[in-house]
Amino acid sequence: MTSRRDTGQAPAGERHGSGRVPYVALLRGINVGGNRKLPMAQLREILAGLGHGTVRTYVQSGNAVFTAPPAEPGELAGALAGAIEKRFGFTAGTLVLTGEELRATAARCPFPAEQLDPARLAVLFLHGPAARLPLASADPAAYAPDEFRLGEREVFAWFPGGMGRSKLGEVLSRQPAEGVATLRNWRTVSRLLELLDELEPPGRPG
């Protein structure tokens, strides 16, 4: 992931209001090695063009928060992926979570996140259940000193030596046979949670 920060807001984004709820979009495989370029300003334009409000992005790996009327996240992901393909000519793997889903994922982290380097703690977000991954039947000792834990639709991973030459990191970077999977470090997860709280603090009535 790039370290350059981008927390821009779409100029056309409406403020969060009644009838809208927060969502998080995670894209896979864009802006890597100069390929599949998708500037975040244009991602914000696309999201606003789909009718979403209060659009904000974070760094260049394809992370956005926005508000929309209640809808199935899969439908929102499909619409966003289609709009990206129409504009840029390539397919970007796209996951959309509700704000509450991201908060619940973070709460399930089995590692002491507050005590660890957020660049070495990561979450693999999945389209389907983590139990369906080949990693579910793997021997954790085969990836030591790295560690992983299966969640519901995510895999939590700790890389004490960093992800650079990690065998576990290489496995997690593979696209699953079905659906979309995309990896984010804990720094990105934490920043997305902060952006969500700016839209709608936890516990606020809808």
Side-chain angles (χ1 to χ4, degrees):
M1 293 182 181
T2 179
S3 61
R4 191 172 79 79
R5 181 165 167 164
D6 179 348
T7 54
Q9 180 175 345
E14 296 88 353
R15 294 294 182 264
H16 178 49
S18 61
R20 287 179 173 263
V21 295
Y23 292 91
V24 180
L26 304 173
L27 306 185
R28 174 187 169 89
I30 65 166
N31 300 326
V32 177
N35 299 315
R36 295 159 62 88
K37 294 182 179 179
L38 199 172
M40 292 300 95
Q42 294 186 41
L43 176 59
R44 293 193 293 271
E45 290 176 3
I46 289 172
L47 285 162
L50 291 170
H52 304 323
T54 324
V55 181
R56 293 185 175 89
T57 54
Y58 176 67
V59 299
Q60 298 299 304
S61 53
N63 311 284
V65 299
F66 60 92
T67 62
E72 286 295 325
E75 294 178 1
L76 297 175
L80 176 55
I84 291 171
E85 183 172 13
K86 181 177 181 180
R87 182 161 178 174
F88 291 94
F90 60 77
T91 301
T94 305
L95 286 176
V96 171
L97 295 76
T98 67
E100 287 308 310
E101 284 175 330
L102 183 65
R103 290 180 178 124
T105 296
R108 286 194 293 269
C109 181
F111 296 102
E114 67 283 354
Q115 301 173 26
L116 301 176
D117 182 346
R120 299 185 179 193
L121 178 62
V123 184
L124 180 70
F125 292 90
L126 301 165
H127 177 264
R132 295 179 183 173
L133 293 177
L135 197 63
S137 59
D139 179 5
Y143 299 98
D146 299 333
E147 300 178 49
F148 69 90
R149 304 285 189 277
L150 300 184
E152 294 182 10
R153 291 196 304 166
E154 69 277 337
V155 178
F156 300 95
W158 165 239
F159 303 91
M163 292 181 59
R165 298 183 179 179
S166 166
K167 180 180 177 182
L168 177 61
E170 192 277 329
V171 170
L172 294 180
S173 70
R174 298 173 188 166
Q175 185 69 355
E178 297 181 3
V180 177
T182 187
L183 193 68
R184 296 295 187 274
N185 67 27
W186 200 256
R187 180 176 291 117
T188 295
V189 172
S190 297
R191 183 55 186 147
L192 291 173
L193 290 170
E194 290 173 357
L195 291 175
L196 283 173
D197 288 349
E198 292 172 10
L199 295 184
E200 182 177 66
R204 170 181 165 177

